[in-house]
Amino acid sequence: MREVERTRFVAATPAELARSLSPVAVIEHEGTFSVVTNEETDAGQRVTARGGGVEAVFSFQERENGLSYRQVGEQGPFESMETTLTYRSSDHGSEVTAHSVVSLGLPLSSLTDRIAAWKRGGELDRLLDGLTDEHR
């Protein structure tokens, strides 16, 4: 397993982010998948998404200062992926941090998980860039 983290300043208050940040918006900003379904469950929201010939399910839970989500089941690009997206007030906006733990579950994990973290880092960059653009 590898960890990857990205942080950006977003010109939106934590309250504004709380209103605009949804599981669908997160998946769309990441840029890898397109949302197929989004359903409310007792445990939070489940998003099914497709992209690049792969379908994956993500389970989202709201947090006091953001969202946490993980890939569910064996479908998807990773064997396991968990992400926490948090924000805190900073300089008339918010500092937003995305932190992921990923694994491909393949042999030579020191190499393959490094590749997974690199790919996930690109998704987190797109997510935070999308939030930044959305709140200009």
Side-chain angles (χ1 to χ4, degrees), residues 7-113:
T7 300
R8 297 274 194 299
F9 174 80
V10 176
T13 65
E16 291 169 326
L17 286 172
R19 286 190 300 271
S20 69
L21 209 70
S22 70
V24 171
V26 168
I27 296 297
E28 289 175 351
H29 283 313
E30 285 182 1
T32 300
F33 295 101
S34 296
V35 173
V36 177
T37 63
N38 178 34
E39 63 181 318
E40 188 72 35
T41 70
D42 291 338
Q45 289 192 37
R46 282 178 76 95
V47 174
T48 302
R50 283 191 197 117
V54 175
E55 184 170 280
V57 177
F58 302 94
S59 175
F60 283 79
Q61 288 79 39
E62 287 188 29
R63 301 169 50 97
E64 181 179 336
N65 61 341
L67 295 169
S68 63
Y69 57 108
R70 64 184 174 82
Q71 180 183 296
V72 178
E74 296 178 13
Q75 292 181 318
F78 304 108
E79 177 186 65
S80 64
M81 184 281 294
E82 294 184 23
T83 300
T84 303
L85 183 63
T86 57
Y87 45 82
R88 66 177 183 82
S89 183
S90 175
D91 197 25
H92 305 291
S94 298
E95 181 177 275
V96 181
T97 300
H99 179 266
S100 278
V101 179
V102 296
S103 176
L104 289 176
L106 297 173
L108 299 171
S109 63
S110 63
L111 174 63
T112 58
D113 285 355

